[in-house]
């Protein structure tokens, strides 16, 4: 199916040129963005994703094949807030694609859709020390309300690039919002038993999820995001976890799970691995299934 679309697009491009029905080539950095773009873009787009769901998006190896993918893009959708700063600028440099240069219509920083950013540092932040959240917490797609905002932003930008398909982009974004809105309410309601239980996280990955579901995050094993914690910080956190009766430590599959499990053991908690992206775990096949799985695992850990 994708191959057929590629060939059809190529033929249309040759015959009728830029004004034809060639699908918009959208490259997304993350699987969540790829799912949203495909939902909004439908058959008017071809969507490719750079970072597979099982990889930590802070630290993707910048392989040449990814630069080639970027070279073909009409639209680049990325998370922003410097989540991809370790690899995307290098790939863009190699791709040399004027259609997605910063400031052009083909360059879409999806964090522009947000009404607020969590954990914006108040003091000086030194990237030299390795802090990977210098502009605030970038993991906003773990609040599905932000997914809806991003879908609307994508529809607007796709419409700008392909005005003839604008109505379809808009319709699909509206349908997606209508489908997600009742699910968002149901997930939040289902989370009630988890709200009673303070959680410890490994990386500060889950702030937006907690903000949306009303969960209490007691602390993070990584004292500063992306930096190996000091033994003293971990000991203090474990002591606090024991004193507070923390029963679950949540982590993404790409975190240091051995260290996470040890910390969980020492505070009398269990490690709960959660899909932090579409495809991070096999059952998280799409954005909806990802939240279904997050809720199912949190509830199972809470004995519900
Ligand atoms: Zn992070």
């Amino acid at each position: 199916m994708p191959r057929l679309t590629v060939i059809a697009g190529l033929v249309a491009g040759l015959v009728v040129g830029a004004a034809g029905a060639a699908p918009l080539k959208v490259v997304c950095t993350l699987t969540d963005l790829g799912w949203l773009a495909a939902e909004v873009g439908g058959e008017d787009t071809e969507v490719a994703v750079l970072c597979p769901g099982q990889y930590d998006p802070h630290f993707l190896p910048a392989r040449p094949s990814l630069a080639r993918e970027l070279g073909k893009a009409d639209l680049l959708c990325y998370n922003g807030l410097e989540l991809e700063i370790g690899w995307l600028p290098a790939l863009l440099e190699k791709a040399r694609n004027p259609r997605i240069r910063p400031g052009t219509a083909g360059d879409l920083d999806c964090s522009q859709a947000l009404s607020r950013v969590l954990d914006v540092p108040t003091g000086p932040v030194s990237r030299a020390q390795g802090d990977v959240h210098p502009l605030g917490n970038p993991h906003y797609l773990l609040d599905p309300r932000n997914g809806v905002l991003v879908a609307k932003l994508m529809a607007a930008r796709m419409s700008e690039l392909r005005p003839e398909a604008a109505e379809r982009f808009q319709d699909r974004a509206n349908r997606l919002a209508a489908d997600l809105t009742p699910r968002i309410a149901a997930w939040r309601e289902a989370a009630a038993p988890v709200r009673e239980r303070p959680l410890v996280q490994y990386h500060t990955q889950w702030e937006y999820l907690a903000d949306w579901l009303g969960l209490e995050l007691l602390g993070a094993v990584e004292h500063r995001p992306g930096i190996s914690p000091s033994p003293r910080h971990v000991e203090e956190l474990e002591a606090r976890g024991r004193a507070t009766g923390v029963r679950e430590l949540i982590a993404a599959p790409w975190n240091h799970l051995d260290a996470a499990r040890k910390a969980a053991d020492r505070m009398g908690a269990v490690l709960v691995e959660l899909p932090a992206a579409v495809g991070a775990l096999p059952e998280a096949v799409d954005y909806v299934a990802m939240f279904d799985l997050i809720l199912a695992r949190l509830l199972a850990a809470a004995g519900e």
Side-chain angles (χ1 to χ4, degrees):
M1 180 64 183
R3 179 159 291 274
L4 282 175
T5 317
V6 170
I7 292 164
L10 204 64
V11 171
L14 287 173
V15 175
V16 293
L24 192 68
K25 174 81 182 165
V26 183
V27 173
C28 298
T29 53
L30 309 178
T31 49
D32 298 24
L33 295 176
W35 184 82
L36 292 165
E39 288 289 310
V40 172
E43 77 273 12
D44 294 298
T45 51
E46 279 170 27
V47 178
V49 170
L50 300 180
C51 181
Q54 310 92 310
Y55 282 67
D56 184 342
H58 283 297
F59 306 109
L60 185 70
R63 293 192 309 271
S65 61
L66 303 181
R68 285 197 293 277
E69 204 63 64
L70 280 170
K72 296 181 267 179
D74 299 312
L75 172 61
L76 166 65
C77 299
Y78 55 101
N79 186 89
L81 298 174
E82 298 203 350
L83 177 68
E84 302 100 332
I85 199 157
W87 49 276
L88 187 58
L91 289 174
L92 283 169
E93 176 93 4
K94 282 198 200 102
R96 295 174 185 278
N97 179 348
R99 294 186 299 280
I100 56 171
R101 251 203 327 263
T104 62
D107 165 80
L108 184 58
D109 174 352
C110 293
S111 72
Q112 287 169 357
L114 300 185
S115 48
R116 70 199 171 111
V117 175
L118 301 180
D119 301 346
V120 177
T122 47
V125 177
S126 173
R127 205 161 230 302
Q129 293 173 293
D131 193 321
V132 294
H133 294 174
L135 301 181
N137 195 301
H139 303 293
Y140 58 83
L141 290 165
L142 285 165
D143 177 343
R145 297 173 301 182
N146 290 334
V148 172
L149 296 177
V150 167
K152 288 179 179 168
L153 182 68
M154 285 176 168
R157 187 59 66 85
M158 287 175 186
S159 301
E160 203 179 318
L161 291 166
R162 282 285 186 281
E164 66 273 22
E167 206 172 308
R168 290 194 293 277
F169 294 135
Q170 213 54 61
D171 285 350
R172 292 190 203 104
N174 290 340
R175 273 206 303 275
L176 179 63
D179 177 61
L180 285 178
T181 300
R183 293 179 193 273
I184 289 168
W187 283 319
R188 195 176 187 289
E189 205 180 310
V194 189
R195 281 197 275 279
E196 313 294 317
R197 307 166 72 87
L199 301 167
V200 164
Q201 57 185 332
Y202 187 83
H203 174 72
T204 49
Q205 181 102 45
W206 309 98
E207 306 288 345
Y208 291 88
L209 181 89
D211 180 66
W212 160 51
L213 293 177
L215 310 181
E216 188 191 335
L217 293 172
L218 187 79
V221 176
E222 279 181 357
H223 183 41
R224 304 182 62 181
I227 304 173
S228 288
S230 69
R232 189 173 152 204
H233 165 73
V234 179
E235 279 163 28
E236 279 170 8
L237 180 70
E238 287 163 0
R240 218 147 37 92
R242 279 194 302 274
T244 319
V246 168
R247 292 280 173 269
E248 289 93 31
L249 189 154
I250 58 176
W254 53 75
N255 291 149
H256 298 290
L257 295 183
D258 287 344
R261 199 169 282 112
K262 270 184 205 147
D265 281 351
R266 283 197 288 258
M267 63 182 92
V270 293
L271 171 65
V272 183
E273 222 182 307
L274 297 179
V278 171
L281 290 170
E283 307 97 300
V285 291
D286 61 32
Y287 199 56
V288 171
M290 174 178 79
F291 289 110
D292 280 342
L293 185 59
I294 288 172
L295 264 297
R297 291 205 164 187
L298 286 174
L299 288 167
E304 293 291 324

